[in-house]
Coordinates of all heavy atoms in Angstrom, one line a residue:
G1 N 0.8 -1.2 0.0 CA 0.0 0.0 0.0 C 0.8 1.3 0.0 O 0.6 2.2 -0.7
V2 N 1.9 1.3 0.8 CA 2.7 2.5 0.9 C 3.4 2.8 -0.4 O 3.4 3.9 -0.8 CB 3.7 2.4 2.1 CG1 4.7 3.6 2.1 CG2 3.0 2.3 3.4
A3 N 4.0 1.8 -1.0 CA 4.6 2.0 -2.3 C 3.7 2.5 -3.3 O 4.1 3.4 -4.1 CB 5.3 0.7 -2.8
L4 N 2.5 2.0 -3.4 CA 1.5 2.5 -4.3 C 1.1 3.9 -4.0 O 0.9 4.7 -4.9 CB 0.3 1.6 -4.3 CG 0.5 0.2 -4.9 CD1 -0.7 -0.7 -4.6 CD2 0.8 0.2 -6.3
Y5 N 1.0 4.2 -2.7 CA 0.6 5.6 -2.3 C 1.7 6.6 -2.8 O 1.5 7.6 -3.3 CB 0.5 5.6 -0.8 CG 0.3 7.0 -0.2 CD1 -0.9 7.6 -0.2 CD2 1.4 7.7 0.3 CE1 -1.1 8.9 0.3 CE2 1.3 9.0 0.8 CZ 0.0 9.6 0.8 OH -0.1 10.8 1.3
E6 N 3.0 6.1 -2.6 CA 4.1 7.0 -2.9 C 4.3 7.2 -4.4 O 4.8 8.2 -4.9 CB 5.4 6.4 -2.3 CG 5.4 6.6 -0.8 CD 6.7 6.0 -0.2 OE1 7.4 5.2 -0.9 OE2 6.8 6.2 1.0
T7 N 3.8 6.3 -5.2 CA 3.8 6.5 -6.7 C 2.5 7.1 -7.2 O 2.3 7.1 -8.4 CB 4.1 5.1 -7.4 OG1 3.0 4.2 -7.1 CG2 5.4 4.5 -7.0
E8 N 1.7 7.5 -6.3 CA 0.4 8.1 -6.5 C -0.6 7.2 -7.3 O -1.5 7.7 -7.9 CB 0.6 9.4 -7.3 CG 1.4 10.4 -6.5 CD 1.5 11.8 -7.1 OE1 0.8 12.1 -8.1 OE2 2.3 12.6 -6.7
D9 N -0.5 5.9 -7.1 CA -1.5 4.9 -7.5 C -2.5 4.8 -6.4 O -2.5 3.9 -5.6 CB -0.9 3.6 -7.9 CG -1.9 2.5 -8.3 OD1 -3.1 2.9 -8.3 OD2 -1.5 1.4 -8.6
L10 N -3.3 5.8 -6.3 CA -4.2 5.9 -5.1 C -5.3 4.8 -5.1 O -5.6 4.3 -4.0 CB -4.9 7.3 -5.1 CG -4.0 8.5 -5.0 CD1 -4.8 9.8 -5.0 CD2 -3.1 8.4 -3.8
E11 N -5.8 4.4 -6.3 CA -6.8 3.3 -6.3 C -6.1 2.0 -5.9 O -6.7 1.2 -5.1 CB -7.4 3.2 -7.7 CG -8.3 4.3 -8.1 CD -9.5 4.4 -7.1 OE1 -10.1 3.3 -6.7 OE2 -9.9 5.5 -6.8
G12 N -4.9 1.8 -6.3 CA -4.1 0.6 -5.9 C -3.9 0.6 -4.4 O -4.0 -0.4 -3.7
A13 N -3.4 1.7 -3.9 CA -3.2 1.9 -2.5 C -4.4 1.6 -1.7 O -4.4 0.9 -0.7 CB -2.6 3.2 -2.2
L14 N -5.5 2.2 -2.1 CA -6.8 2.1 -1.4 C -7.2 0.6 -1.4 O -7.6 0.1 -0.3 CB -7.9 2.9 -2.1 CG -9.3 2.9 -1.5 CD1 -9.2 3.5 -0.1 CD2 -10.2 3.7 -2.4
H15 N -7.1 -0.1 -2.5 CA -7.4 -1.5 -2.6 C -6.6 -2.3 -1.5 O -7.1 -3.2 -0.8 CB -7.2 -2.1 -4.0 CG -7.3 -3.5 -4.1 ND1 -8.5 -4.2 -4.1 CD2 -6.3 -4.5 -4.2 CE1 -8.3 -5.5 -4.2 NE2 -7.0 -5.7 -4.2
H16 N -5.3 -2.1 -1.5 CA -4.4 -2.8 -0.6 C -4.7 -2.5 0.9 O -4.7 -3.4 1.7 CB -2.9 -2.5 -0.9 CG -2.4 -3.3 -2.1 ND1 -2.1 -4.6 -2.1 CD2 -2.3 -2.9 -3.4 CE1 -1.7 -5.0 -3.3 NE2 -1.9 -4.0 -4.1
Y17 N -4.9 -1.2 1.2 CA -5.3 -0.9 2.6 C -6.6 -1.5 3.0 O -6.7 -2.0 4.1 CB -5.3 0.6 2.8 CG -3.9 1.3 2.7 CD1 -3.7 2.4 2.0 CD2 -2.8 0.7 3.3 CE1 -2.5 3.0 1.9 CE2 -1.6 1.3 3.3 CZ -1.4 2.5 2.5 OH -0.2 3.0 2.4
L18 N -7.6 -1.5 2.1 CA -8.9 -2.1 2.5 C -8.7 -3.6 2.7 O -9.3 -4.2 3.5 CB -9.9 -1.8 1.4 CG -10.4 -0.3 1.4 CD1 -11.3 -0.1 0.2 CD2 -11.1 0.1 2.7
E19 N -7.9 -4.2 1.8 CA -7.6 -5.6 2.0 C -6.9 -5.9 3.3 O -7.2 -6.9 4.0 CB -6.7 -6.1 0.8 CG -6.5 -7.6 0.8 CD -5.7 -8.0 -0.4 OE1 -5.8 -7.4 -1.5 OE2 -5.0 -9.0 -0.3
A20 N -6.0 -5.1 3.7 CA -5.3 -5.2 4.9 C -6.2 -5.2 6.1 O -6.0 -5.9 7.1 CB -4.2 -4.2 5.1
L21 N -7.2 -4.3 6.0 CA -8.2 -4.2 7.1 C -8.9 -5.6 7.4 O -9.3 -5.9 8.5 CB -9.3 -3.2 6.8 CG -8.9 -1.8 7.2 CD1 -10.1 -0.8 6.9 CD2 -8.5 -1.6 8.6
G22 N -9.0 -6.4 6.3 CA -9.6 -7.7 6.5 C -8.8 -8.6 7.4 O -9.3 -9.6 7.9
Y23 N -7.5 -8.3 7.5 CA -6.6 -9.1 8.3 C -6.4 -8.5 9.7 O -6.1 -9.2 10.7 CB -5.3 -9.3 7.7 CG -5.4 -10.0 6.4 CD1 -5.3 -9.4 5.1 CD2 -5.5 -11.4 6.3 CE1 -5.4 -10.1 3.9 CE2 -5.6 -12.1 5.2 CZ -5.6 -11.4 4.0 OH -5.7 -12.1 2.8
D24 N -6.5 -7.2 9.8 CA -6.2 -6.5 11.1 C -7.0 -5.2 11.2 O -6.6 -4.2 10.7 CB -4.7 -6.2 11.1 CG -4.3 -5.6 12.5 OD1 -5.1 -5.5 13.4 OD2 -3.1 -5.4 12.6
Q25 N -8.1 -5.3 11.9 CA -9.0 -4.1 12.1 C -8.6 -3.2 13.3 O -9.3 -2.3 13.6 CB -10.4 -4.5 12.1 CG -10.9 -5.1 10.9 CD -12.4 -5.4 10.9 OE1 -13.0 -5.3 11.9 NE2 -12.9 -5.8 9.8
E26 N -7.5 -3.6 14.0 CA -7.1 -2.9 15.1 C -5.7 -2.1 14.9 O -5.1 -1.6 15.8 CB -6.9 -3.8 16.3 CG -8.2 -4.5 16.7 CD -9.2 -3.6 17.2 OE1 -8.9 -2.7 18.0 OE2 -10.4 -3.7 16.8
N27 N -5.3 -2.1 13.6 CA -4.1 -1.4 13.3 C -4.3 0.0 12.9 O -4.9 0.3 11.8 CB -3.4 -2.2 12.1 CG -2.0 -1.7 11.8 OD1 -1.8 -0.5 11.9 ND2 -1.2 -2.6 11.4
S28 N -3.9 0.9 13.8 CA -4.2 2.4 13.5 C -3.5 2.9 12.3 O -3.9 3.8 11.6 CB -3.7 3.2 14.7 OG -2.3 3.1 14.9
D29 N -2.3 2.3 11.9 CA -1.6 2.7 10.7 C -2.4 2.5 9.5 O -2.3 3.3 8.5 CB -0.2 2.0 10.6 CG 0.7 2.4 11.7 OD1 0.6 3.5 12.2 OD2 1.6 1.6 12.0
I30 N -3.1 1.4 9.4 CA -4.0 1.2 8.2 C -5.0 2.2 8.1 O -5.2 2.8 7.0 CB -4.6 -0.2 8.3 CG1 -3.5 -1.3 8.3 CG2 -5.6 -0.4 7.1 CD1 -4.1 -2.7 8.5
F31 N -5.7 2.6 9.2 CA -6.7 3.6 9.1 C -6.1 5.0 8.8 O -6.7 5.7 8.0 CB -7.5 3.7 10.4 CG -8.4 2.5 10.6 CD1 -8.1 1.4 11.4 CD2 -9.6 2.5 10.0 CE1 -9.0 0.4 11.6 CE2 -10.5 1.5 10.1 CZ -10.2 0.4 10.9
F32 N -4.9 5.3 9.4 CA -4.3 6.5 9.1 C -3.9 6.6 7.6 O -4.2 7.6 6.9 CB -3.0 6.7 9.9 CG -2.3 8.0 9.6 CD1 -2.7 9.2 10.2 CD2 -1.2 8.0 8.7 CE1 -2.0 10.3 9.9 CE2 -0.5 9.2 8.4 CZ -1.0 10.3 9.0
N33 N -3.4 5.5 7.0 CA -3.0 5.5 5.6 C -4.2 5.6 4.7 O -4.2 6.3 3.7 CB -2.2 4.3 5.3 CG -0.8 4.4 5.9 OD1 -0.3 5.4 6.2 ND2 -0.2 3.2 6.1
L34 N -5.3 5.0 5.1 CA -6.6 5.1 4.4 C -7.0 6.6 4.4 O -7.5 7.1 3.4 CB -7.7 4.2 5.0 CG -7.7 2.8 4.5 CD1 -8.6 2.0 5.4 CD2 -8.1 2.7 3.0
G35 N -6.9 7.2 5.5 CA -7.3 8.6 5.6 C -6.4 9.5 4.7 O -7.0 10.4 4.0
K36 N -5.2 9.2 4.6 CA -4.3 10.0 3.6 C -4.7 9.8 2.2 O -4.8 10.7 1.4 CB -2.8 9.5 3.8 CG -2.2 9.9 5.2 CD -2.1 11.4 5.4 CE -0.8 11.9 4.7 NZ -0.6 13.3 4.9
V37 N -5.1 8.5 1.8 CA -5.5 8.2 0.5 C -6.8 9.0 0.2 O -6.9 9.7 -0.8 CB -5.7 6.7 0.2 CG1 -6.3 6.5 -1.1 CG2 -4.3 6.0 0.3
Y38 N -7.8 8.9 1.1 CA -9.0 9.5 0.9 C -8.9 11.1 0.8 O -9.5 11.7 0.0 CB -10.0 9.2 2.0 CG -10.6 7.8 1.9 CD1 -10.5 6.9 2.9 CD2 -11.3 7.4 0.7 CE1 -11.1 5.6 2.8 CE2 -11.8 6.1 0.6 CZ -11.7 5.3 1.7 OH -12.3 4.0 1.5
L39 N -7.9 11.6 1.6 CA -7.7 13.0 1.6 C -7.2 13.4 0.2 O -7.6 14.4 -0.4 CB -6.6 13.4 2.7 CG -6.3 14.8 2.8 CD1 -7.5 15.6 3.2 CD2 -5.2 15.0 3.9
L40 N -6.2 12.7 -0.4 CA -5.7 13.0 -1.7 C -6.8 12.8 -2.8 O -6.8 13.5 -3.8 CB -4.5 12.1 -2.0 CG -3.3 12.5 -1.3 CD1 -2.2 11.4 -1.5 CD2 -2.8 13.8 -1.6
Q41 N -7.8 12.0 -2.5 CA -8.9 11.8 -3.5 C -10.0 12.8 -3.2 O -11.0 12.8 -3.9 CB -9.5 10.4 -3.3 CG -8.6 9.3 -3.8 CD -9.2 7.9 -3.7 OE1 -10.0 7.7 -2.8 NE2 -8.8 7.0 -4.6
K42 N -9.8 13.7 -2.3 CA -10.7 14.7 -1.9 C -12.1 14.2 -1.4 O -13.1 14.8 -1.5 CB -11.0 15.7 -3.0 CG -9.7 16.5 -3.4 CD -10.0 17.5 -4.5 CE -9.0 18.4 -4.8 NZ -7.7 18.1 -5.0
D43 N -12.0 13.0 -0.8 CA -13.1 12.3 -0.1 C -12.9 12.6 1.4 O -12.5 11.8 2.2 CB -13.1 10.8 -0.4 CG -14.3 10.1 0.3 OD1 -15.0 10.8 1.1 OD2 -14.5 8.9 0.0
Y44 N -13.3 13.9 1.7 CA -13.0 14.4 3.0 C -13.7 13.7 4.2 O -13.1 13.5 5.2 CB -13.2 15.9 3.1 CG -12.4 16.6 2.1 CD1 -13.0 17.3 1.0 CD2 -11.0 16.6 2.1 CE1 -12.2 18.0 0.1 CE2 -10.2 17.3 1.2 CZ -10.8 17.9 0.2 OH -10.1 18.6 -0.8
Q45 N -15.0 13.3 3.9 CA -15.7 12.6 5.0 C -15.0 11.2 5.3 O -14.9 10.9 6.5 CB -17.2 12.4 4.6 CG -18.0 11.8 5.7 CD -18.0 12.6 7.0 OE1 -18.1 13.8 6.9 NE2 -17.9 12.0 8.1
S46 N -14.7 10.5 4.3 CA -14.0 9.2 4.5 C -12.6 9.4 5.2 O -12.2 8.6 6.0 CB -13.8 8.4 3.2 OG -15.1 8.1 2.7
A47 N -11.9 10.5 4.8 CA -10.7 10.8 5.4 C -10.8 11.1 6.9 O -10.1 10.5 7.8 CB -10.0 12.0 4.8
I48 N -11.8 11.9 7.3 CA -12.1 12.2 8.7 C -12.4 10.9 9.4 O -11.9 10.7 10.5 CB -13.2 13.2 8.8 CG1 -12.7 14.6 8.3 CG2 -13.8 13.3 10.2 CD1 -13.9 15.6 8.1
E49 N -13.3 10.1 8.9 CA -13.7 8.8 9.6 C -12.5 7.9 9.9 O -12.4 7.4 10.9 CB -14.7 8.1 8.8 CG -16.1 8.8 8.7 CD -17.0 8.2 7.7 OE1 -16.7 7.2 7.0 OE2 -18.1 8.8 7.5
N50 N -11.6 7.8 8.9 CA -10.4 7.0 9.1 C -9.4 7.6 10.0 O -8.8 6.9 10.8 CB -9.8 6.6 7.7 CG -10.6 5.5 7.0 OD1 -10.4 4.3 7.3 ND2 -11.5 5.9 6.2
F51 N -9.2 8.9 10.0 CA -8.3 9.5 10.9 C -8.9 9.4 12.3 O -8.1 9.2 13.3 CB -8.1 11.0 10.6 CG -7.2 11.2 9.3 CD1 -7.6 12.2 8.4 CD2 -6.1 10.5 9.1 CE1 -6.8 12.4 7.3 CE2 -5.3 10.7 8.0 CZ -5.7 11.6 7.1
E52 N -10.2 9.5 12.5 CA -10.8 9.4 13.8 C -10.6 8.0 14.3 O -10.3 7.8 15.5 CB -12.3 9.8 13.8 CG -12.5 11.3 13.7 CD -13.9 11.7 13.5 OE1 -14.8 10.8 13.2 OE2 -14.2 12.8 13.7
E53 N -10.7 7.0 13.5 CA -10.5 5.6 13.9 C -9.1 5.4 14.3 O -8.8 4.7 15.3 CB -11.0 4.6 12.8 CG -10.9 3.2 13.2 CD -11.9 2.8 14.4 OE1 -12.7 3.6 14.8 OE2 -11.7 1.7 15.0
A54 N -8.1 5.9 13.5 CA -6.7 5.8 13.8 C -6.4 6.4 15.2 O -5.7 5.9 16.0 CB -5.9 6.5 12.7
Q55 N -7.1 7.6 15.4 CA -6.9 8.3 16.7 C -7.5 7.5 17.9 O -6.9 7.4 18.9 CB -7.6 9.6 16.6 CG -7.4 10.5 17.8 CD -8.1 11.8 17.6 OE1 -9.1 11.9 16.8 NE2 -7.7 12.9 18.2
R56 N -8.6 6.8 17.6 CA -9.3 6.0 18.7 C -8.4 4.8 19.0 O -8.2 4.5 20.2 CB -10.6 5.5 18.2 CG -11.4 4.7 19.3 CD -12.6 4.1 18.7 NE -12.3 3.0 17.9 CZ -12.0 1.7 18.3 NH1 -11.8 1.5 19.6 NH2 -11.7 0.8 17.4
L57 N -7.8 4.2 18.0 CA -7.0 3.0 18.2 C -5.6 3.3 18.8 O -5.0 2.5 19.6 CB -6.8 2.3 16.9 CG -8.0 1.6 16.4 CD1 -7.8 1.1 14.9 CD2 -8.4 0.4 17.3
N58 N -5.1 4.5 18.5 CA -3.8 4.9 19.0 C -3.8 6.4 19.4 O -3.3 7.3 18.7 CB -2.7 4.7 18.0 CG -1.3 4.9 18.5 OD1 -1.1 5.2 19.7 ND2 -0.3 4.7 17.6
P59 N -4.4 6.7 20.6 CA -4.6 8.1 21.0 C -3.3 8.9 21.2 O -3.3 10.1 21.2 CB -5.4 8.0 22.3 CG -5.4 6.6 22.7 CD -5.0 5.8 21.5
N60 N -2.2 8.2 21.3 CA -0.9 8.9 21.6 C -0.2 9.3 20.3 O 0.8 10.0 20.3 CB 0.0 8.0 22.4 CG -0.5 7.8 23.8 OD1 -1.1 8.7 24.4 ND2 -0.4 6.6 24.3
D61 N -0.7 8.8 19.1 CA 0.0 9.2 17.9 C -0.6 10.5 17.4 O -1.7 10.7 17.1 CB -0.3 8.1 16.8 CG 0.4 8.3 15.5 OD1 1.0 9.4 15.4 OD2 0.3 7.5 14.6
I62 N 0.3 11.5 17.3 CA -0.1 12.9 17.0 C -0.5 13.0 15.5 O -1.2 14.0 15.2 CB 1.0 13.9 17.4 CG1 0.5 15.3 17.3 CG2 2.2 13.7 16.5 CD1 0.6 16.0 18.6
S63 N 0.0 12.1 14.7 CA -0.3 12.3 13.2 C -1.8 12.4 12.9 O -2.2 13.3 12.1 CB 0.3 11.1 12.5 OG 1.7 11.1 12.7
A64 N -2.6 11.5 13.5 CA -4.0 11.6 13.2 C -4.6 12.9 13.7 O -5.5 13.5 13.1 CB -4.7 10.3 13.7
H65 N -4.2 13.3 14.9 CA -4.7 14.5 15.5 C -4.4 15.7 14.5 O -5.3 16.6 14.3 CB -4.0 14.8 16.8 CG -4.4 13.8 17.9 ND1 -5.5 13.9 18.6 CD2 -3.6 12.8 18.4 CE1 -5.5 12.9 19.5 NE2 -4.4 12.2 19.4
L66 N -3.2 15.7 14.0 CA -2.8 16.9 13.1 C -3.6 16.8 11.8 O -4.1 17.9 11.4 CB -1.3 16.8 12.8 CG -0.4 17.1 14.0 CD1 1.1 16.8 13.6 CD2 -0.6 18.5 14.5
E67 N -3.8 15.7 11.3 CA -4.6 15.6 10.0 C -6.1 16.0 10.3 O -6.6 16.8 9.5 CB -4.6 14.2 9.5 CG -3.3 13.7 8.9 CD -2.8 14.5 7.7 OE1 -3.6 15.2 7.1 OE2 -1.6 14.4 7.5
L68 N -6.6 15.6 11.4 CA -8.0 16.0 11.7 C -8.1 17.6 12.0 O -9.0 18.2 11.5 CB -8.5 15.3 13.0 CG -8.9 13.8 12.7 CD1 -9.1 13.1 14.0 CD2 -10.2 13.8 11.9
A69 N -7.1 18.1 12.6 CA -7.0 19.6 12.8 C -7.0 20.3 11.5 O -7.7 21.3 11.4 CB -5.8 19.9 13.6
H70 N -6.3 19.8 10.5 CA -6.3 20.4 9.2 C -7.6 20.3 8.5 O -7.9 21.2 7.6 CB -5.2 19.8 8.3 CG -3.8 20.2 8.8 ND1 -2.7 19.6 8.3 CD2 -3.4 21.0 9.8 CE1 -1.6 20.1 8.9 NE2 -2.0 21.0 9.8
L71 N -8.4 19.3 8.8 CA -9.7 19.1 8.1 C -10.8 19.8 8.7 O -11.9 20.0 8.1 CB -10.0 17.6 8.0 CG -9.1 16.8 7.0 CD1 -9.2 15.3 7.2 CD2 -9.6 17.1 5.6
H72 N -10.6 20.3 9.9 CA -11.7 21.0 10.6 C -11.6 22.4 10.6 O -10.8 23.1 10.2 CB -11.8 20.5 12.1 CG -12.4 19.1 12.2 ND1 -13.7 18.8 11.9 CD2 -11.8 18.0 12.6 CE1 -13.9 17.5 12.2 NE2 -12.7 17.0 12.5

């Protein structure tokens, strides 16, 4: 997913992150990365939802907090 994100294959990255959720729904990094993909796709509601879930799963990670602050 990260490699696809970095090459701006957002659809490919989205597919891989969603697939990864099927294996691990408690991984805040997956939700954070999904939020970044949705943000680049200008799907702001989905970005917010995923950043919020990342924040819920890992409240000490400031990255999700910062992304949410930029979206509000």
Side-chain angles (χ1 to χ4, degrees):
V2 173
L4 293 169
Y5 173 84
E6 289 176 351
T7 62
E8 297 184 14
D9 179 359
L10 300 180
E11 288 301 319
L14 184 62
H15 172 77
H16 283 279
Y17 290 135
L18 291 173
E19 186 176 329
L21 276 182
Y23 297 102
D24 186 0
Q25 294 184 355
E26 299 297 315
N27 186 325
S28 65
D29 291 334
I30 297 171
F31 287 100
F32 179 80
N33 290 336
L34 275 168
K36 294 292 280 185
V37 171
Y38 285 125
L39 183 61
L40 289 173
Q41 291 179 329
K42 296 183 172 46
D43 182 349
Y44 301 116
Q45 185 58 43
S46 293
I48 289 169
E49 291 168 6
N50 280 276
F51 289 137
E52 287 176 343
E53 186 62 13
Q55 183 179 28
R56 184 188 73 75
L57 291 169
N58 187 2
N60 295 323
D61 184 356
I62 190 123
S63 300
H65 294 279
L66 292 173
E67 292 295 341
L68 284 167
H70 290 172
L71 286 165
H72 288 290

